[in-house]
Amino acid sequence: MNIIGTRWRTNSALFLVSATLSLSASAQELEQASFTEQQSTSGSALYQQNCATCHLANLQGAFEAPALSGNNFIGNWRNKNIADLLDLMRRTMPPQAPGSLANTDYANLAAFLLDSNGIDASAVELDFDSSAVAFLGGSDNRNGPLVARPPVPGRAGTIPSPEARNQIPEIATVYQSERALSRSFQPLPGFRNVTQEELINPADGDWTYWRRTPQSQGYTPLDQINTENVKQLSLAWIWGMEAGRSQPAPLVRDGIIFIPNFGNVVQALNGRDGTLLWEYRRQFPEGGRSGGLLRTLAMFEDMIYVATTDAHLVALDARTGAVRWDVEIADENLGYSNTSGPIVANGKVINGITGCGRFFEDSCFITGHDAHTGEEIWRTYTVAQPNEPGDESWAGLPVEFRGGVDVWMTGSWDPELNLVFFGTAQAKPWMAASRGLSTDDAALYSNSTLALNPDDGSLQWYRQHVPGESLDMDEAFEQVLVDIFDEPFLLTIGKSGILWKLDRRTGEFQGLKETVFQNVFSKVDLETGLVSYREDIQNMQIGEWLSVCPSTAGGHNWQSSSYHPPTQQLIIPLSQSCMDMSPRETTFEIGSGGNQGDRMWKEMPGTQGQFGKLGAYDVASMEEKWSIQQRAPFLTAALSTAGGLLFIGDYDRYVHAYDVSNGEELWRTRLATSVQGFPVSFAIDGEQYIAIPSGRDGGSPWRIGNFLAPELVSPNGHNALYVFKLPK
């Protein structure tokens, strides 16, 4: 938190002199600014976390960050209203995110500065709206009023000129809530409320669901950019995003882009030129969970829905970013969280929770909320509960020790069948031996596709893809809904690399395809879809190491596939690596649990170190039509277009455009860092745009490039949204 600097271009502002001095009338008329010892203690911790890098731990300052204690500080701030100090801190600090701390945090920081400069603590707290004065340097400094005289050429003044400025001006309309600060910079041009009918059938130029439509197909009907002219694609604009782990999926409505950032920041951008329209910044309580990635958002009517890292569900005003409602879904202190956002179906905001790896009585679940109020309407647990169907699949394990079964990714919706579909993760600990079970214990409803009624959350059917899964190879990713010859199917693929095809009315197995080499199943029944683990996996013991393919990077992971209706192909980002894995011993007590497994990564046999694979599969026959292999893992979702193109990005910073019919590369460009997230396409005034995010970090998919292809250097600190279009 660089409180002091002299130039806006360095993202800091001069802290020592307030732009407008609040002058003392007389010592007898003014109240000394007071604070408590607890405030100073809290402020000290905040200072070390946010300020000490620039101002040093001893407050002596360095370079453009002056001292915050001693005679210089006292001389500049004696007899000034503490409100001036607090206002300046909130407006300018931290320089990379002014105003991002809570008001109580700024008050505690000011208390720490007063304490460090000789003011004694009292029983009265320093209030952020205090009109008291900081009498620094002793009572002899309580002088009479100063004569306010601005400087003019040839005559020195006692105050700065009224038009002078040394802090960032607040140009936005600010909306403050208990856990958020939103800033609206300018009206949204032309934004219209999103109806349910428009969610189901969006305009060609919009992208209103995380994969554009409720079917999660990741396909745009726009065709202005096509196989003939894609080589002319050029950069329209770039928007720099928050640093940190980033896998964002933007939404687009009427040319406005809504994009999640690391740290629970959401921004609205003008899709034509990248101008910031508003932003929402989550503020986390002291000592609580902070930061974290948000993958996806949802929208409905005039609201944007955000599932936050601290296990809340928030509705934002789509035009301003102001909080409309904020509800707690679960207790973050138990580990609950969100990594992906909700969907909207039948006026319900439906969200799957994560962070269920530890042992607590409450397990993971999916909730349905009223879209207008946030009120929870229903809650469906993803772990079979005692005395309910599936209870026996946990072999008598008490419910408080049934960990995992998180909902990592956003779901899909079939309005005609009135069903929503979510994938679930494996039970935890990862390996059966660590959780006191065997691979014969199915542990429902882990590693399953769940079909729920969106109105009441009732489970209509489920399909468990890998019963008793024991290698952290969950089946928790996108559920792609396709119609083939007027028959409704669901396609999903997990880390095992097996593409599953189900009847989405009933969950009945319809077929499968192994997309990468696997050696964990000794039997894969093509008629029933049932799989059987190798004998050594079935008999695993604590401390033993197992060699398995694929690794926990997949097969397939969160990088979603794309269905291309004109060719009836599902194009899937895949990964080719293997690992050695060993189960740890687990203590069965409340608060214990977790992953409890050790992993070591290695190349997949027969791939010659080609970790990235992109495969296209005919959804009727389930046969591979074409594939591409390369050294760099693919780290974005796939985006297919009516122009016959497939866009995707990789670890080595390349964005590729392939001919969707045969996999021929037609265009590529290189970004500042790894290409990571969910590309989208939209249109404004008849012009088609392709938006592609860059980012770094994130679990097993990232480790494959990081660990096994270290020559592919990906620099940090370059998260951004790149937007391309054809030249005029």
Side-chain angles (χ1 to χ4, degrees):
M1 181 176 180
N2 184 354
I3 296 180
I4 317 246
T6 59
R7 294 163 296 185
W8 166 237
R9 64 178 178 271
T10 62
N11 288 327
S12 55
L14 186 63
F15 177 79
L16 296 183
V17 182
S18 177
T20 303
L21 301 180
S22 298
L23 303 175
S24 304
S26 72
Q28 288 71 32
E29 298 173 354
L30 299 176
E31 177 186 355
Q32 169 68 285
S34 62
F35 61 92
T36 65
E37 185 176 346
Q38 178 59 45
Q39 283 184 299
S40 178
T41 300
S42 297
S44 176
L46 286 165
Y47 179 87
Q48 296 304 322
Q49 180 180 357
N50 297 282
C51 315
T53 299
C54 297
H55 295 279
L56 304 186
N58 60 7
L59 288 78
Q60 291 307 298
F63 189 48
E64 292 183 341
L68 301 182
S69 66
N71 291 334
N72 286 337
F73 180 81
I74 291 171
N76 279 281
W77 281 99
R78 68 160 52 103
N79 300 350
K80 305 299 193 310
N81 279 1
I82 195 66
D84 289 338
L85 176 58
L86 291 166
D87 180 64
L88 184 60
M89 292 167 67
R90 182 173 66 178
R91 285 175 174 269
T92 61
M93 299 301 138
Q96 69 275 16
S100 60
L101 302 181
N103 284 352
T104 54
D105 291 337
Y106 288 115
N108 292 343
L109 280 166
F112 171 64
L113 295 182
L114 293 178
D115 196 358
S116 301
N117 284 278
I119 302 297
D120 293 332
S122 72
V124 180
E125 284 195 348
L126 174 61
D127 184 82
F128 190 86
D129 298 319
S130 172
S131 60
V133 169
F135 291 126
L136 298 170
S139 60
D140 58 331
N141 293 310
R142 303 183 188 189
N143 301 320
L146 299 174
V147 177
R149 186 178 67 243
V152 297
R155 186 188 71 187
T158 59
I159 64 169
S161 302
E163 71 275 10
R165 178 184 298 148
N166 69 350
Q167 59 183 285
I168 303 169
E170 186 59 81
I171 61 173
T173 301
V174 177
Y175 302 91
Q176 181 87 40
S177 66
E178 182 180 356
R179 288 203 179 189
L181 187 73
S182 300
R183 285 186 170 90
S184 178
F185 296 97
Q186 56 181 273
L188 265 63
F191 180 87
R192 297 169 298 120
N193 286 10
V194 182
T195 66
Q196 176 162 292
E197 291 70 25
E198 289 175 304
L199 283 180
I200 297 171
N201 295 300
D204 289 356
D206 283 349
W207 194 285
T208 52
Y209 244 72
W210 75 291
R211 300 296 287 145
R212 187 175 176 273
T213 65
Q215 292 78 26
S216 298
Q217 293 182 357
Y219 166 80
T220 176
L222 298 174
D223 61 2
Q224 183 183 75
I225 302 169
N226 56 51
T227 56
E228 298 299 319
N229 60 24
V230 68
K231 290 181 179 175
Q232 303 172 38
L233 206 59
S234 60
L235 185 65
W237 53 266
I238 307 170
W239 173 255
M241 296 175 62
E242 300 292 307
R245 180 175 176 178
S246 186
Q247 301 162 2
L251 299 178
V252 187
R253 168 67 168 174
D254 291 333
I256 308 303
I257 300 173
F258 303 91
I259 187 166
N261 285 243
F262 178 82
N264 290 217
V265 174
V266 180
Q267 295 171 322
L269 308 171
N270 187 321
R272 189 187 304 277
D273 57 17
T275 299
L276 178 64
L277 303 176
W278 60 252
E279 69 176 13
Y280 160 90
R281 291 182 175 273
R282 188 75 172 165
Q283 296 181 323
F284 298 91
E286 183 180 347
R289 185 194 300 259
S290 62
L293 85 162
L294 304 177
R295 285 194 184 96
T296 69
L297 305 169
M299 67 165 53
F300 178 53
E301 295 184 347
D302 61 346
M303 285 179 278
I304 304 296
Y305 300 99
V306 186
T308 65
T309 299
D310 53 347
H312 281 232
L313 188 62
V314 182
L316 306 178
D317 188 302
R319 292 180 173 85
T320 65
V323 174
R324 297 276 284 275
W325 51 256
D326 182 331
V327 297
E328 182 183 75
I329 306 174
D331 186 352
E332 64 169 322
N333 295 314
L334 298 180
Y336 287 110
S337 186
N338 293 294
T339 58
S340 299
I343 60 172
V344 175
N346 289 355
K348 314 295 190 303
V349 185
I350 302 173
N351 185 76
I353 203 76
T354 62
C356 313
R358 300 291 172 181
F359 293 151
F360 292 103
E361 186 171 353
D362 290 332
S363 55
C364 260
F365 52 81
I366 300 168
T367 50
H369 302 257
D370 184 285
H372 297 105
T373 66
E375 178 187 1
E376 184 176 314
I377 300 170
W378 54 261
R379 176 172 297 211
T380 299
Y381 288 96
T382 58
V383 169
Q385 300 295 294
N387 302 316
E388 293 188 3
D391 179 22
E392 72 287 348
S393 68
W394 289 87
L397 198 65
V399 68
E400 60 267 28
F401 299 138
R402 301 178 186 183
V405 201
D406 308 69
V407 182
W408 293 112
M409 294 303 299
T410 306
S412 302
W413 173 36
D414 185 328
E416 293 185 5
L417 294 178
N418 197 35
L419 293 174
V420 292
F421 305 92
F422 286 84
T424 63
Q426 76 289 82
K428 288 187 178 65
W430 282 333
M431 307 181 79
S434 296
R435 55 183 182 253
L437 301 176
S438 74
T439 57
D440 292 329
D441 300 312
L444 289 172
Y445 296 93
S446 65
N447 271 55
S448 300
T449 291
L450 306 182
L452 307 177
N453 183 318
D455 298 320
D456 59 14
S458 57
L459 181 63
Q460 302 300 295
W461 60 256
Y462 74 91
R463 169 75 187 194
Q464 189 174 44
H465 303 286
V466 182
E469 198 287 317
S470 294
L471 301 168
D472 185 29
M473 294 190 193
D474 37 352
E475 305 281 340
F477 309 113
E478 72 277 12
Q479 313 289 306
V480 183
L481 313 184
V482 303
D483 292 333
I484 309 171
F485 307 119
D486 296 324
E487 291 295 312
F489 295 96
L490 181 149
L491 298 165
T492 188
I493 178 172
K495 291 184 182 179
S496 66
I498 297 177
L499 174 61
W500 308 96
K501 182 179 179 181
L502 308 177
D503 183 323
R504 70 173 183 267
R505 294 167 295 199
T506 63
E508 182 182 356
F509 175 76
Q510 297 294 309
L512 63 79
K513 177 66 177 179
E514 296 185 50
T515 62
V516 298
F517 171 73
Q518 70 83 16
N519 62 12
V520 297
F521 303 123
S522 58
K523 181 180 180 181
V524 178
D525 192 316
L526 300 179
E527 297 298 321
T528 65
L530 298 178
V531 297
S532 300
Y533 274 128
R534 292 179 343 219
E535 186 175 350
D536 60 328
I537 298 174
Q538 295 180 39
N539 298 326
M540 69 174 70
Q541 301 295 317
I542 299 295
E544 292 181 342
W545 284 88
L546 302 171
S547 177
V548 298
C549 296
S551 76
T552 56
H556 180 67
N557 210 291
W558 61 262
Q559 303 96 318
S560 297
S561 54
S562 176
Y563 176 63
H564 188 252
T567 60
Q568 290 194 332
Q569 291 182 122
L570 187 71
I571 301 95
I572 311 173
L574 300 163
S575 183
Q576 301 183 131
S577 62
C578 300
M579 68 181 180
D580 293 338
M581 194 169 186
S582 176
R584 301 175 190 161
E585 188 171 359
T586 302
T587 300
F588 286 86
E589 60 186 18
I590 297 298
S592 181
N595 298 334
Q596 293 296 91
D598 295 306
R599 296 174 294 177
M600 301 287 286
W601 281 268
K602 57 187 179 181
E603 290 187 9
M604 181 175 282
T607 62
Q608 291 74 51
Q610 302 290 89
F611 299 112
K613 179 180 177 181
L614 184 66
Y617 298 86
D618 183 286
V619 297
S621 67
M622 299 292 280
E623 293 303 312
E624 183 177 289
K625 307 303 291 185
W626 56 263
S627 66
I628 294 163
Q629 298 185 60
Q630 62 175 40
R631 178 78 167 163
F634 291 105
L635 288 184
T636 74
L639 164 65
S640 64
T641 79
L645 296 168
L646 189 287
F647 289 92
I648 196 165
D650 68 32
Y651 180 92
D652 199 25
R653 305 189 287 125
Y654 282 105
V655 179
H656 310 263
Y658 298 106
D659 187 323
V660 77
S661 66
N662 56 23
E664 178 187 358
E665 185 176 71
L666 302 177
W667 173 84
R668 71 156 65 178
T669 191
R670 208 171 197 189
L671 308 186
T673 195
S674 293
V675 195
Q676 183 163 277
F678 296 79
V680 303
S681 185
F682 60 94
I684 303 175
D685 295 337
E687 281 194 291
Q688 183 181 0
Y689 294 77
I690 304 292
I692 302 173
S694 65
R696 301 178 82 252
D697 301 329
S700 299
W702 178 261
R703 289 192 179 103
I704 298 309
N706 208 224
F707 288 4
L708 300 182
E711 77 280 5
L712 306 180
V713 178
S714 173
N716 203 354
H718 294 276
N719 293 358
L721 183 68
Y722 292 77
V723 178
F724 300 87
K725 69 182 185 69
L726 297 173
K728 290 187 177 180

